[in-house]
Structure formats: structure tokens, C-alpha cells
Amino acid sequence: MSDIELSYVADKVHVHRWPKDSPDWDENTIEELDKNINKNSQRKQITVGESTVKIQHVKFYSLKKVGVTVPLFKDECTMIFEAKFGELFAHVHITIKNENYLEIFNQLIDWRKKFFPDYK
């Protein structure tokens, strides 16, 4: 086991139910995510572990389809993945705008290669 932990501050995070045929989220879950993540314009603490991503106090696990990109013409890095939190399924978008966005991108790519070697 590895003791990897990457820590970033994200400018924008959006979490939504995915896949569409997964169980519906109850109103309390939606309200909590909107209040603390989706509709909260404050920067959010992101902690990337060996097989988890924590956004503020919400831990996502069973990560799948992890994508990391630098959008054209933007000085930012974006990570997108599917995961579970509790018994619910989600699709998560994390955007980090930072002068070191390429360094962050490379760290996330290295993390993905190490812990998710099947993703190309």
C-alpha cells in the first residue's frame, strides 16, 4: 500500500447523479451537495488519496473513468471521474485554476497511471 496524498484547492466543483439509471438521490443529499459544493462559490479543499478523492468532507471511492485534462486556451486543470459516496453514484467535475496548473496536471496523471493503470 502507498501513502499518497495530493492536496489542492479547487475553484469549481460539480457533483451530479450518474449513471442516469442509478438510484435517485434524496432531497437532503441534493441540498447538502448544493450548499457545500455545487452552488457554493468558495474554493474547495480537494484531497486525492490512493483510491479516493475527498472534496471538503465528502469522500468518493470506487473511482472509475478518471480523466485529467488541460482545456484549450485556459490556464486550468480539470479532473472528471465516476465514483460512489455512501451508497450513491456520482459523476464529479473538479476544476483547478492555479499558476501551477501544468504541475498539478502532471501529478494527477502520475497518480492515475499508478493507481488506475488500465486508463490510457
Side-chain angles (χ1 to χ4, degrees):
M1 248 191 177
S2 177
D3 292 335
I4 188 168
E5 184 172 288
L6 305 172
S7 187
Y8 307 105
V9 177
D11 297 274
K12 184 177 178 185
V13 178
H14 185 74
V15 179
H16 61 94
R17 183 174 65 90
W18 188 261
K20 291 194 182 278
D21 63 352
S22 66
D24 286 337
W25 295 356
D26 62 51
E27 281 301 313
N28 289 338
T29 299
I30 295 168
E31 287 175 14
E32 265 314 294
L33 287 173
D34 282 349
K35 176 182 166 191
N36 295 311
I37 297 176
N38 290 338
K39 295 182 180 179
N40 183 334
S41 61
Q42 293 180 339
R43 299 178 85 201
K44 288 132 192 99
Q45 182 63 44
I46 308 298
T47 305
V48 178
E50 181 177 321
S51 60
T52 63
V53 174
K54 188 164 89 171
I55 303 169
Q56 299 292 84
H57 301 292
V58 180
K59 187 179 263 187
F60 295 87
Y61 58 94
S62 297
L63 278 61
K64 298 188 317 187
K65 299 181 183 177
V66 178
V68 183
T69 185
V70 173
L72 291 174
F73 312 112
K74 294 186 177 184
D75 294 340
E76 64 189 39
C77 173
T78 302
M79 180 167 63
I80 302 170
F81 57 89
E82 292 179 12
K84 288 182 75 173
F85 66 106
E87 292 302 312
L88 302 174
F89 295 87
H91 195 243
V92 181
H93 305 249
I94 300 171
T95 301
I96 302 166
K97 297 178 184 182
N98 183 304
E99 63 185 36
N100 298 329
Y101 69 96
L102 289 176
E103 182 180 323
I104 293 168
F105 169 81
N106 287 325
Q107 290 173 352
L108 290 171
I109 289 294
D110 289 345
W111 165 78
R112 185 180 75 174
K113 284 179 182 175
K114 183 173 184 175
F115 296 107
F116 303 95
D118 294 337
Y119 299 156
K120 304 287 184 228

